[in-house]
Amino acid sequence: SSDEVNFVLETGGSSKWSDQEISTENIQRYTINGTELSLKEELPSANMGDPASYSDFLNWGIENYPAEKYMTILWGYGDGVIGGAVQDEKYGNSVMSAKEIADAINDTGCQFELAGFDASGMASFELAAAISGSVHYMAASESDEAECGWDYSTLTQTLVNSPDIDGRALGTVICDSYMGKAAACQETDGAAMSVTDLTQIGEVSNAVSVMSLLMDSCISAPDTMAAVSEGIKQ
């Protein structure tokens, strides 16, 4: 961290942490200074797969650490627009759906420069469209993520060095550093990461709507639908 950048972390949802300072019994909120965690608040255990937990943390962070630019990152299990993200193994493997994630972000009333998903399969059109009113850029992978995850050292150092960086440039750093870390861990098979400009999602939404209507009209014409399906495969 620095005088111009705050890193705020909430932990929960796991029955075991590699860092023994982190509680498995309570939700904890920390700030990060260098490699040191500073505990700021401790709350009773709650389901991290409940969007209320995410929304409460976002609002707490915005209120206590006001900034010109905000970024939110969800780290953990991910299964795309169908399966959701942030599996809480202490609450029956509960997860947040894409809609619940979007609602939690949108309900803050805050504009985020970037939303990042350190979780598999979250780079979907549906999620991008759902958060586009509150987020300028989205960084996520459309495939399974490498087990070694994001390169947070490069990400955080970039922010400290360039606190005015925009979401597009920071998203590019996330993509490049993630692929570099995946290569170092020898986990590049299927590895992918993207940064999406959500200010342009309106044109994509219009195109998807037109395509959907055309595909819907093909359902009653089996030969046409077969041709459409074959075209998608190619």
Side-chain angles (χ1 to χ4, degrees), residues 99-145:
K99 182 181 185 305
E100 289 173 332
I101 292 169
D103 286 346
I105 292 174
N106 295 334
D107 288 348
T108 65
C110 177
Q111 284 292 316
F112 291 84
E113 183 66 15
L114 187 144
F117 298 91
D118 188 357
S120 297
M122 301 307 293
S124 69
F125 161 74
E126 293 87 350
L127 180 57
I131 65 175
S132 61
S134 302
V135 181
H136 296 152
Y137 294 90
M138 181 177 81
S141 173
E142 66 179 277
S143 64
D144 290 341
E145 279 205 351

Side-chain angles (χ1 to χ4, degrees), residues 20-216:
Q20 298 302 312
E21 292 182 24
I22 298 175
S23 171
T24 59
E25 301 302 320
N26 300 293
I27 285 179
Q28 293 180 314
R29 291 169 174 172
Y30 297 91
T31 55
I32 304 172
N33 183 16
T35 60
E36 298 299 319
L37 294 176
S38 177
L39 182 63
K40 297 299 180 182
E41 188 171 44
E42 190 165 67
L43 302 172
S45 179
N47 183 358
M48 300 295 277
D50 183 342
S53 298
Y54 183 34
S55 179
D56 185 63
F57 173 61
L58 289 176
N59 286 315
W60 178 84
I62 292 166
E63 179 180 351
N64 289 277
Y65 300 91
E68 293 179 10
K69 294 179 180 178
Y70 295 93
M71 174 175 65
T72 173
I73 298 174
L74 286 174
W75 169 57
Y77 166 88
D79 193 23
V81 69
I82 302 299
V86 194
Q87 188 176 63
D88 190 316
E89 64 184 15
K90 297 180 65 179
Y91 287 82
N93 293 324
S94 172
V95 298
M96 279 192 288
S97 69
K99 182 181 185 305
E100 289 173 332
I101 292 169
D103 286 346
I105 292 174
N106 295 334
D107 288 348
T108 65
C110 177
Q111 284 292 316
F112 291 84
E113 183 66 15
L114 187 144
F117 298 91
D118 188 357
S120 297
M122 301 307 293
S124 69
F125 161 74
E126 293 87 350
L127 180 57
I131 65 175
S132 61
S134 302
V135 181
H136 296 152
Y137 294 90
M138 181 177 81
S141 173
E142 66 179 277
S143 64
D144 290 341
E145 279 205 351
E147 288 189 13
C148 58
W150 284 20
D151 180 356
Y152 285 99
S153 294
T154 297
L155 167 59
T156 53
Q157 192 62 55
T158 297
L159 280 165
V160 169
N161 293 343
S162 306
D164 293 329
I165 192 170
D166 66 9
R168 181 187 182 95
L170 184 60
T172 301
V173 170
I174 291 170
C175 291
D176 292 345
S177 61
Y178 168 78
M179 295 303 292
K181 189 176 181 182
C185 296
Q186 298 182 332
E187 296 183 38
T188 55
D189 286 351
M193 187 62 62
S194 63
V195 55
T196 304
D197 182 352
L198 301 185
T199 66
Q200 305 299 313
I201 204 72
E203 294 183 24
V204 181
S205 295
N206 292 337
V208 169
S209 294
V210 171
M211 181 186 70
S212 299
L213 289 171
L214 289 172
M215 292 178 69
D216 186 58

